[in-house]
PDB file of all heavy atoms in Angstrom:
ATOM      1  N   VAL A   1       0.849  -1.198   0.001  1.00 86.00           N
ATOM      2  CA  VAL A   1       0.000   0.000  -0.001  1.00 86.00           C
ATOM      3  C   VAL A   1       0.876   1.240   0.001  1.00 86.00           C
ATOM      4  O   VAL A   1       0.690   2.160  -0.813  1.00 86.00           O
ATOM      5  CB  VAL A   1      -0.946   0.005   1.218  1.00 86.00           C
ATOM      6  CG1 VAL A   1      -1.640   1.365   1.346  1.00 86.00           C
ATOM      7  CG2 VAL A   1      -1.992  -1.093   1.089  1.00 86.00           C
ATOM      8  N   THR A   2       1.862   1.268   0.894  1.00 83.00           N
ATOM      9  CA  THR A   2       2.718   2.450   0.966  1.00 83.00           C
ATOM     10  C   THR A   2       3.699   2.503  -0.197  1.00 83.00           C
ATOM     11  O   THR A   2       4.074   3.589  -0.645  1.00 83.00           O
ATOM     12  CB  THR A   2       3.486   2.482   2.299  1.00 83.00           C
ATOM     13  OG1 THR A   2       4.141   1.224   2.520  1.00 83.00           O
ATOM     14  CG2 THR A   2       2.550   2.754   3.453  1.00 83.00           C
ATOM     15  N   LEU A   3       4.109   1.337  -0.711  1.00 83.00           N
ATOM     16  CA  LEU A   3       4.958   1.315  -1.905  1.00 83.00           C
ATOM     17  C   LEU A   3       4.219   1.963  -3.080  1.00 83.00           C
ATOM     18  O   LEU A   3       4.764   2.833  -3.768  1.00 83.00           O
ATOM     19  CB  LEU A   3       5.332  -0.130  -2.215  1.00 83.00           C
ATOM     20  CG  LEU A   3       6.331  -0.411  -3.340  1.00 83.00           C
ATOM     21  CD1 LEU A   3       6.997  -1.769  -3.103  1.00 83.00           C
ATOM     22  CD2 LEU A   3       5.667  -0.420  -4.711  1.00 83.00           C
ATOM     23  N   ILE A   4       2.984   1.546  -3.295  1.00 86.00           N
ATOM     24  CA  ILE A   4       2.181   2.116  -4.397  1.00 86.00           C
ATOM     25  C   ILE A   4       1.854   3.573  -4.114  1.00 86.00           C
ATOM     26  O   ILE A   4       1.844   4.414  -5.027  1.00 86.00           O
ATOM     27  CB  ILE A   4       0.896   1.297  -4.599  1.00 86.00           C
ATOM     28  CG1 ILE A   4       1.242  -0.155  -4.962  1.00 86.00           C
ATOM     29  CG2 ILE A   4       0.030   1.917  -5.704  1.00 86.00           C
ATOM     30  CD1 ILE A   4       0.084  -1.117  -4.792  1.00 86.00           C
ATOM     31  N   MET A   5       1.612   3.893  -2.838  1.00 89.00           N
ATOM     32  CA  MET A   5       1.323   5.272  -2.473  1.00 89.00           C
ATOM     33  C   MET A   5       2.528   6.171  -2.783  1.00 89.00           C
ATOM     34  O   MET A   5       2.368   7.326  -3.223  1.00 89.00           O
ATOM     35  CB  MET A   5       0.965   5.372  -1.001  1.00 89.00           C
ATOM     36  CG  MET A   5       0.283   6.670  -0.596  1.00 89.00           C
ATOM     37  SD  MET A   5      -0.163   6.699   1.167  1.00 89.00           S
ATOM     38  CE  MET A   5      -1.421   5.409   1.202  1.00 89.00           C
ATOM     39  N   GLY A   6       3.729   5.639  -2.580  1.00 87.00           N
ATOM     40  CA  GLY A   6       4.922   6.396  -2.936  1.00 87.00           C
ATOM     41  C   GLY A   6       4.990   6.651  -4.424  1.00 87.00           C
ATOM     42  O   GLY A   6       5.333   7.754  -4.879  1.00 87.00           O
ATOM     43  N   GLN A   7       4.621   5.639  -5.207  1.00 83.00           N
ATOM     44  CA  GLN A   7       4.587   5.809  -6.656  1.00 83.00           C
ATOM     45  C   GLN A   7       3.517   6.813  -7.060  1.00 83.00           C
ATOM     46  O   GLN A   7       3.723   7.657  -7.943  1.00 83.00           O
ATOM     47  CB  GLN A   7       4.337   4.463  -7.322  1.00 83.00           C
ATOM     48  CG  GLN A   7       4.542   4.457  -8.821  1.00 83.00           C
ATOM     49  CD  GLN A   7       4.523   3.056  -9.408  1.00 83.00           C
ATOM     50  OE1 GLN A   7       4.341   2.079  -8.700  1.00 83.00           O
ATOM     51  NE2 GLN A   7       4.706   2.960 -10.709  1.00 83.00           N
ATOM     52  N   LEU A   8       2.357   6.732  -6.394  1.00 88.00           N
ATOM     53  CA  LEU A   8       1.279   7.686  -6.671  1.00 88.00           C
ATOM     54  C   LEU A   8       1.683   9.106  -6.302  1.00 88.00           C
ATOM     55  O   LEU A   8       1.344  10.060  -7.018  1.00 88.00           O
ATOM     56  CB  LEU A   8       0.022   7.293  -5.880  1.00 88.00           C
ATOM     57  CG  LEU A   8      -0.931   6.317  -6.542  1.00 88.00           C
ATOM     58  CD1 LEU A   8      -2.016   5.897  -5.555  1.00 88.00           C
ATOM     59  CD2 LEU A   8      -1.570   6.956  -7.780  1.00 88.00           C
ATOM     60  N   LEU A   9       2.394   9.252  -5.205  1.00 90.00           N
ATOM     61  CA  LEU A   9       2.852  10.570  -4.799  1.00 90.00           C
ATOM     62  C   LEU A   9       3.804  11.148  -5.847  1.00 90.00           C
ATOM     63  O   LEU A   9       3.736  12.336  -6.184  1.00 90.00           O
ATOM     64  CB  LEU A   9       3.544  10.486  -3.435  1.00 90.00           C
ATOM     65  CG  LEU A   9       4.010  11.801  -2.807  1.00 90.00           C
ATOM     66  CD1 LEU A   9       2.844  12.764  -2.632  1.00 90.00           C
ATOM     67  CD2 LEU A   9       4.686  11.538  -1.472  1.00 90.00           C
ATOM     68  N   ALA A  10       4.678  10.295  -6.380  1.00 88.00           N
ATOM     69  CA  ALA A  10       5.580  10.754  -7.446  1.00 88.00           C
ATOM     70  C   ALA A  10       4.785  11.188  -8.668  1.00 88.00           C
ATOM     71  O   ALA A  10       5.075  12.237  -9.275  1.00 88.00           O
ATOM     72  CB  ALA A  10       6.563   9.632  -7.809  1.00 88.00           C
ATOM     73  N   LEU A  11       3.771  10.398  -9.035  1.00 82.00           N
ATOM     74  CA  LEU A  11       2.921  10.773 -10.175  1.00 82.00           C
ATOM     75  C   LEU A  11       2.114  12.030  -9.868  1.00 82.00           C
ATOM     76  O   LEU A  11       1.879  12.869 -10.748  1.00 82.00           O
ATOM     77  CB  LEU A  11       1.988   9.631 -10.529  1.00 82.00           C
ATOM     78  CG  LEU A  11       2.631   8.413 -11.201  1.00 82.00           C
ATOM     79  CD1 LEU A  11       1.627   7.290 -11.343  1.00 82.00           C
ATOM     80  CD2 LEU A  11       3.203   8.797 -12.561  1.00 82.00           C
ATOM     81  N   GLY A  12       1.669  12.163  -8.602  1.00 87.00           N
ATOM     82  CA  GLY A  12       0.922  13.354  -8.215  1.00 87.00           C
ATOM     83  C   GLY A  12       1.761  14.611  -8.348  1.00 87.00           C
ATOM     84  O   GLY A  12       1.275  15.655  -8.840  1.00 87.00           O
ATOM     85  N   VAL A  13       3.010  14.538  -7.924  1.00 91.00           N
ATOM     86  CA  VAL A  13       3.909  15.677  -8.086  1.00 91.00           C
ATOM     87  C   VAL A  13       4.084  15.988  -9.575  1.00 91.00           C
ATOM     88  O   VAL A  13       4.092  17.164  -9.986  1.00 91.00           O
ATOM     89  CB  VAL A  13       5.270  15.384  -7.423  1.00 91.00           C
ATOM     90  CG1 VAL A  13       6.291  16.468  -7.771  1.00 91.00           C
ATOM     91  CG2 VAL A  13       5.110  15.286  -5.909  1.00 91.00           C
ATOM     92  N   LEU A  14       4.190  14.938 -10.380  1.00 88.00           N
ATOM     93  CA  LEU A  14       4.328  15.144 -11.826  1.00 88.00           C
ATOM     94  C   LEU A  14       3.083  15.820 -12.413  1.00 88.00           C
ATOM     95  O   LEU A  14       3.197  16.756 -13.213  1.00 88.00           O
ATOM     96  CB  LEU A  14       4.570  13.793 -12.512  1.00 88.00           C
ATOM     97  CG  LEU A  14       4.648  13.809 -14.051  1.00 88.00           C
ATOM     98  CD1 LEU A  14       5.686  14.800 -14.543  1.00 88.00           C
ATOM     99  CD2 LEU A  14       4.944  12.412 -14.572  1.00 88.00           C
ATOM    100  N   LEU A  15       1.890  15.368 -12.000  1.00 84.00           N
ATOM    101  CA  LEU A  15       0.661  15.975 -12.506  1.00 84.00           C
ATOM    102  C   LEU A  15       0.577  17.455 -12.140  1.00 84.00           C
ATOM    103  O   LEU A  15       0.170  18.294 -12.960  1.00 84.00           O
ATOM    104  CB  LEU A  15      -0.552  15.218 -11.956  1.00 84.00           C
ATOM    105  CG  LEU A  15      -0.856  13.863 -12.585  1.00 84.00           C
ATOM    106  CD1 LEU A  15      -1.913  13.117 -11.781  1.00 84.00           C
ATOM    107  CD2 LEU A  15      -1.311  14.025 -14.032  1.00 84.00           C
ATOM    108  N   VAL A  16       0.959  17.778 -10.901  1.00 91.00           N
ATOM    109  CA  VAL A  16       0.933  19.175 -10.473  1.00 91.00           C
ATOM    110  C   VAL A  16       1.920  19.998 -11.297  1.00 91.00           C
ATOM    111  O   VAL A  16       1.590  21.103 -11.790  1.00 91.00           O
ATOM    112  CB  VAL A  16       1.261  19.284  -8.972  1.00 91.00           C
ATOM    113  CG1 VAL A  16       1.476  20.750  -8.565  1.00 91.00           C
ATOM    114  CG2 VAL A  16       0.134  18.683  -8.139  1.00 91.00           C
ATOM    115  N   LEU A  17       3.126  19.474 -11.469  1.00 92.00           N
ATOM    116  CA  LEU A  17       4.129  20.228 -12.213  1.00 92.00           C
ATOM    117  C   LEU A  17       3.747  20.365 -13.690  1.00 92.00           C
ATOM    118  O   LEU A  17       4.056  21.377 -14.324  1.00 92.00           O
ATOM    119  CB  LEU A  17       5.488  19.538 -12.085  1.00 92.00           C
ATOM    120  CG  LEU A  17       6.138  19.619 -10.699  1.00 92.00           C
ATOM    121  CD1 LEU A  17       7.459  18.859 -10.673  1.00 92.00           C
ATOM    122  CD2 LEU A  17       6.356  21.071 -10.277  1.00 92.00           C
ATOM    123  N   GLN A  18       3.057  19.351 -14.229  1.00 87.00           N
ATOM    124  CA  GLN A  18       2.602  19.459 -15.621  1.00 87.00           C
ATOM    125  C   GLN A  18       1.562  20.563 -15.784  1.00 87.00           C
ATOM    126  O   GLN A  18       1.411  21.138 -16.868  1.00 87.00           O
ATOM    127  CB  GLN A  18       2.021  18.126 -16.090  1.00 87.00           C
ATOM    128  CG  GLN A  18       3.079  17.075 -16.395  1.00 87.00           C
ATOM    129  CD  GLN A  18       2.483  15.715 -16.691  1.00 87.00           C
ATOM    130  OE1 GLN A  18       1.361  15.401 -16.279  1.00 87.00           O
ATOM    131  NE2 GLN A  18       3.224  14.889 -17.399  1.00 87.00           N
ATOM    132  N   ARG A  19       0.843  20.871 -14.698  1.00 89.00           N
ATOM    133  CA  ARG A  19      -0.179  21.925 -14.763  1.00 89.00           C
ATOM    134  C   ARG A  19       0.416  23.317 -14.561  1.00 89.00           C
ATOM    135  O   ARG A  19      -0.067  24.299 -15.133  1.00 89.00           O
ATOM    136  CB  ARG A  19      -1.277  21.669 -13.718  1.00 89.00           C
ATOM    137  CG  ARG A  19      -2.203  20.528 -14.100  1.00 89.00           C
ATOM    138  CD  ARG A  19      -3.369  20.406 -13.117  1.00 89.00           C
ATOM    139  NE  ARG A  19      -4.334  19.415 -13.552  1.00 89.00           N
ATOM    140  CZ  ARG A  19      -5.312  19.633 -14.417  1.00 89.00           C
ATOM    141  NH1 ARG A  19      -5.455  20.822 -14.960  1.00 89.00           N
ATOM    142  NH2 ARG A  19      -6.154  18.671 -14.753  1.00 89.00           N
ATOM    143  N   VAL A  20       1.441  23.414 -13.724  1.00 93.00           N
ATOM    144  CA  VAL A  20       1.964  24.746 -13.382  1.00 93.00           C
ATOM    145  C   VAL A  20       3.182  25.134 -14.223  1.00 93.00           C
ATOM    146  O   VAL A  20       3.543  26.315 -14.261  1.00 93.00           O
ATOM    147  CB  VAL A  20       2.315  24.840 -11.876  1.00 93.00           C
ATOM    148  CG1 VAL A  20       1.087  24.592 -11.036  1.00 93.00           C
ATOM    149  CG2 VAL A  20       3.436  23.888 -11.507  1.00 93.00           C
ATOM    150  N   LEU A  21       3.820  24.148 -14.871  1.00 91.00           N
ATOM    151  CA  LEU A  21       4.978  24.438 -15.722  1.00 91.00           C
ATOM    152  C   LEU A  21       4.706  23.963 -17.141  1.00 91.00           C
ATOM    153  O   LEU A  21       4.004  22.976 -17.339  1.00 91.00           O
ATOM    154  CB  LEU A  21       6.231  23.739 -15.183  1.00 91.00           C
ATOM    155  CG  LEU A  21       6.717  24.122 -13.792  1.00 91.00           C
ATOM    156  CD1 LEU A  21       7.916  23.245 -13.397  1.00 91.00           C
ATOM    157  CD2 LEU A  21       7.107  25.601 -13.717  1.00 91.00           C
ATOM    158  N   ASP A  22       5.267  24.660 -18.113  1.00 89.00           N
ATOM    159  CA  ASP A  22       5.121  24.179 -19.482  1.00 89.00           C
ATOM    160  C   ASP A  22       6.147  23.084 -19.764  1.00 89.00           C
ATOM    161  O   ASP A  22       7.052  22.828 -18.964  1.00 89.00           O
ATOM    162  CB  ASP A  22       5.223  25.329 -20.489  1.00 89.00           C
ATOM    163  CG  ASP A  22       6.558  26.069 -20.411  1.00 89.00           C
ATOM    164  OD1 ASP A  22       7.571  25.458 -20.020  1.00 89.00           O
ATOM    165  OD2 ASP A  22       6.578  27.275 -20.738  1.00 89.00           O
ATOM    166  N   GLU A  23       6.032  22.460 -20.928  1.00 86.00           N
ATOM    167  CA  GLU A  23       6.904  21.334 -21.302  1.00 86.00           C
ATOM    168  C   GLU A  23       8.377  21.745 -21.278  1.00 86.00           C
ATOM    169  O   GLU A  23       9.234  20.996 -20.793  1.00 86.00           O
ATOM    170  CB  GLU A  23       6.528  20.854 -22.699  1.00 86.00           C
ATOM    171  CG  GLU A  23       7.261  19.621 -23.165  1.00 86.00           C
ATOM    172  CD  GLU A  23       6.514  18.332 -22.862  1.00 86.00           C
ATOM    173  OE1 GLU A  23       5.433  18.403 -22.247  1.00 86.00           O
ATOM    174  OE2 GLU A  23       7.031  17.282 -23.224  1.00 86.00           O
ATOM    175  N   GLU A  24       8.673  22.926 -21.787  1.00 88.00           N
ATOM    176  CA  GLU A  24      10.068  23.370 -21.856  1.00 88.00           C
ATOM    177  C   GLU A  24      10.666  23.539 -20.464  1.00 88.00           C
ATOM    178  O   GLU A  24      11.813  23.151 -20.211  1.00 88.00           O
ATOM    179  CB  GLU A  24      10.147  24.684 -22.636  1.00 88.00           C
ATOM    180  CG  GLU A  24      11.566  25.180 -22.837  1.00 88.00           C
ATOM    181  CD  GLU A  24      11.614  26.464 -23.646  1.00 88.00           C
ATOM    182  OE1 GLU A  24      10.574  26.851 -24.218  1.00 88.00           O
ATOM    183  OE2 GLU A  24      12.702  27.083 -23.696  1.00 88.00           O
ATOM    184  N   ALA A  25       9.894  24.121 -19.535  1.00 91.00           N
ATOM    185  CA  ALA A  25      10.398  24.332 -18.177  1.00 91.00           C
ATOM    186  C   ALA A  25      10.603  22.998 -17.451  1.00 91.00           C
ATOM    187  O   ALA A  25      11.585  22.824 -16.707  1.00 91.00           O
ATOM    188  CB  ALA A  25       9.416  25.213 -17.390  1.00 91.00           C
ATOM    189  N   LEU A  26       9.685  22.056 -17.669  1.00 90.00           N
ATOM    190  CA  LEU A  26       9.834  20.744 -17.044  1.00 90.00           C
ATOM    191  C   LEU A  26      11.103  20.060 -17.518  1.00 90.00           C
ATOM    192  O   LEU A  26      11.824  19.441 -16.720  1.00 90.00           O
ATOM    193  CB  LEU A  26       8.616  19.875 -17.357  1.00 90.00           C
ATOM    194  CG  LEU A  26       7.500  19.818 -16.322  1.00 90.00           C
ATOM    195  CD1 LEU A  26       6.315  19.041 -16.860  1.00 90.00           C
ATOM    196  CD2 LEU A  26       8.002  19.197 -15.031  1.00 90.00           C
ATOM    197  N   ARG A  27      11.374  20.141 -18.799  1.00 87.00           N
ATOM    198  CA  ARG A  27      12.560  19.479 -19.338  1.00 87.00           C
ATOM    199  C   ARG A  27      13.843  20.225 -18.965  1.00 87.00           C
ATOM    200  O   ARG A  27      14.907  19.617 -18.843  1.00 87.00           O
ATOM    201  CB  ARG A  27      12.451  19.360 -20.870  1.00 87.00           C
ATOM    202  CG  ARG A  27      11.367  18.394 -21.318  1.00 87.00           C
ATOM    203  CD  ARG A  27      11.340  18.244 -22.832  1.00 87.00           C
ATOM    204  NE  ARG A  27      10.258  17.373 -23.266  1.00 87.00           N
ATOM    205  CZ  ARG A  27      10.328  16.047 -23.306  1.00 87.00           C
ATOM    206  NH1 ARG A  27      11.445  15.429 -22.948  1.00 87.00           N
ATOM    207  NH2 ARG A  27       9.300  15.332 -23.734  1.00 87.00           N
ATOM    208  N   ALA A  28      13.743  21.524 -18.774  1.00 88.00           N
ATOM    209  CA  ALA A  28      14.931  22.325 -18.471  1.00 88.00           C
ATOM    210  C   ALA A  28      15.348  22.206 -17.001  1.00 88.00           C
ATOM    211  O   ALA A  28      16.519  21.979 -16.693  1.00 88.00           O
ATOM    212  CB  ALA A  28      14.678  23.784 -18.840  1.00 88.00           C
ATOM    213  N   TRP A  29      14.384  22.377 -16.080  1.00 90.00           N
ATOM    214  CA  TRP A  29      14.737  22.379 -14.661  1.00 90.00           C
ATOM    215  C   TRP A  29      13.646  21.833 -13.741  1.00 90.00           C
ATOM    216  O   TRP A  29      13.931  21.423 -12.612  1.00 90.00           O
ATOM    217  CB  TRP A  29      15.081  23.802 -14.201  1.00 90.00           C
ATOM    218  CG  TRP A  29      13.965  24.794 -14.457  1.00 90.00           C
ATOM    219  CD1 TRP A  29      13.793  25.568 -15.556  1.00 90.00           C
ATOM    220  CD2 TRP A  29      12.867  25.104 -13.583  1.00 90.00           C
ATOM    221  NE1 TRP A  29      12.658  26.342 -15.449  1.00 90.00           N
ATOM    222  CE2 TRP A  29      12.080  26.084 -14.236  1.00 90.00           C
ATOM    223  CE3 TRP A  29      12.473  24.673 -12.327  1.00 90.00           C
ATOM    224  CZ2 TRP A  29      10.926  26.610 -13.676  1.00 90.00           C
ATOM    225  CZ3 TRP A  29      11.326  25.211 -11.743  1.00 90.00           C
ATOM    226  CH2 TRP A  29      10.561  26.171 -12.421  1.00 90.00           C
ATOM    227  N   GLY A  30      12.399  21.776 -14.213  1.00 92.00           N
ATOM    228  CA  GLY A  30      11.305  21.363 -13.333  1.00 92.00           C
ATOM    229  C   GLY A  30      11.434  19.936 -12.817  1.00 92.00           C
ATOM    230  O   GLY A  30      10.942  19.618 -11.734  1.00 92.00           O
ATOM    231  N   TRP A  31      12.100  19.068 -13.587  1.00 90.00           N
ATOM    232  CA  TRP A  31      12.252  17.668 -13.158  1.00 90.00           C
ATOM    233  C   TRP A  31      13.088  17.536 -11.885  1.00 90.00           C
ATOM    234  O   TRP A  31      13.067  16.502 -11.219  1.00 90.00           O
ATOM    235  CB  TRP A  31      12.878  16.844 -14.275  1.00 90.00           C
ATOM    236  CG  TRP A  31      14.229  17.320 -14.711  1.00 90.00           C
ATOM    237  CD1 TRP A  31      14.516  18.144 -15.747  1.00 90.00           C
ATOM    238  CD2 TRP A  31      15.493  16.993 -14.115  1.00 90.00           C
ATOM    239  NE1 TRP A  31      15.870  18.364 -15.848  1.00 90.00           N
ATOM    240  CE2 TRP A  31      16.495  17.660 -14.855  1.00 90.00           C
ATOM    241  CE3 TRP A  31      15.872  16.202 -13.038  1.00 90.00           C
ATOM    242  CZ2 TRP A  31      17.848  17.578 -14.529  1.00 90.00           C
ATOM    243  CZ3 TRP A  31      17.222  16.103 -12.713  1.00 90.00           C
ATOM    244  CH2 TRP A  31      18.200  16.782 -13.458  1.00 90.00           C
ATOM    245  N   ARG A  32      13.844  18.579 -11.514  1.00 93.00           N
ATOM    246  CA  ARG A  32      14.667  18.515 -10.299  1.00 93.00           C
ATOM    247  C   ARG A  32      13.822  18.631  -9.021  1.00 93.00           C
ATOM    248  O   ARG A  32      14.229  18.166  -7.951  1.00 93.00           O
ATOM    249  CB  ARG A  32      15.717  19.630 -10.314  1.00 93.00           C
ATOM    250  CG  ARG A  32      16.709  19.517 -11.457  1.00 93.00           C
ATOM    251  CD  ARG A  32      17.769  20.618 -11.372  1.00 93.00           C
ATOM    252  NE  ARG A  32      18.654  20.608 -12.529  1.00 93.00           N
ATOM    253  CZ  ARG A  32      19.754  19.842 -12.646  1.00 93.00           C
ATOM    254  NH1 ARG A  32      20.092  19.034 -11.659  1.00 93.00           N
ATOM    255  NH2 ARG A  32      20.496  19.900 -13.740  1.00 93.00           N
ATOM    256  N   ILE A  33      12.658  19.271  -9.131  1.00 94.00           N
ATOM    257  CA  ILE A  33      11.829  19.550  -7.945  1.00 94.00           C
ATOM    258  C   ILE A  33      11.458  18.281  -7.169  1.00 94.00           C
ATOM    259  O   ILE A  33      11.575  18.250  -5.928  1.00 94.00           O
ATOM    260  CB  ILE A  33      10.571  20.347  -8.351  1.00 94.00           C
ATOM    261  CG1 ILE A  33      10.982  21.720  -8.876  1.00 94.00           C
ATOM    262  CG2 ILE A  33       9.589  20.473  -7.188  1.00 94.00           C
ATOM    263  CD1 ILE A  33       9.831  22.531  -9.481  1.00 94.00           C
ATOM    264  N   PRO A  34      10.980  17.205  -7.827  1.00 93.00           N
ATOM    265  CA  PRO A  34      10.579  16.017  -7.056  1.00 93.00           C
ATOM    266  C   PRO A  34      11.726  15.379  -6.272  1.00 93.00           C
ATOM    267  O   PRO A  34      11.490  14.789  -5.202  1.00 93.00           O
ATOM    268  CB  PRO A  34      10.062  15.057  -8.130  1.00 93.00           C
ATOM    269  CG  PRO A  34      10.663  15.530  -9.409  1.00 93.00           C
ATOM    270  CD  PRO A  34      10.737  17.014  -9.260  1.00 93.00           C
ATOM    271  N   PHE A  35      12.957  15.525  -6.755  1.00 92.00           N
ATOM    272  CA  PHE A  35      14.087  14.937  -6.032  1.00 92.00           C
ATOM    273  C   PHE A  35      14.461  15.762  -4.804  1.00 92.00           C
ATOM    274  O   PHE A  35      14.895  15.215  -3.785  1.00 92.00           O
ATOM    275  CB  PHE A  35      15.268  14.766  -6.983  1.00 92.00           C
ATOM    276  CG  PHE A  35      14.974  13.824  -8.124  1.00 92.00           C
ATOM    277  CD1 PHE A  35      14.708  14.308  -9.397  1.00 92.00           C
ATOM    278  CD2 PHE A  35      14.909  12.452  -7.902  1.00 92.00           C
ATOM    279  CE1 PHE A  35      14.411  13.441 -10.429  1.00 92.00           C
ATOM    280  CE2 PHE A  35      14.594  11.581  -8.941  1.00 92.00           C
ATOM    281  CZ  PHE A  35      14.352  12.071 -10.211  1.00 92.00           C
TER     282      PHE A  35
END
């Protein structure tokens, strides 16, 4: 449950960043935020 929840949390962060950042920003620097 918590293993999958961790994966969901990672996807949730991705969904949020996909909404607040454009594709170029995500590829340039936005991908660093989840780490």
Side-chain angles (χ1 to χ4, degrees):
V1 170
T2 51
L3 186 156
I4 299 163
M5 196 178 293
Q7 191 170 1
L8 272 173
L9 184 58
L11 288 173
V13 171
L14 176 54
L15 284 170
V16 170
L17 290 178
Q18 285 173 336
R19 286 186 174 276
V20 300
L21 299 176
D22 60 28
E23 185 93 358
E24 183 178 349
L26 264 174
R27 292 183 183 276
W29 56 268
W31 59 264
R32 297 183 186 275
I33 295 172
F35 297 104

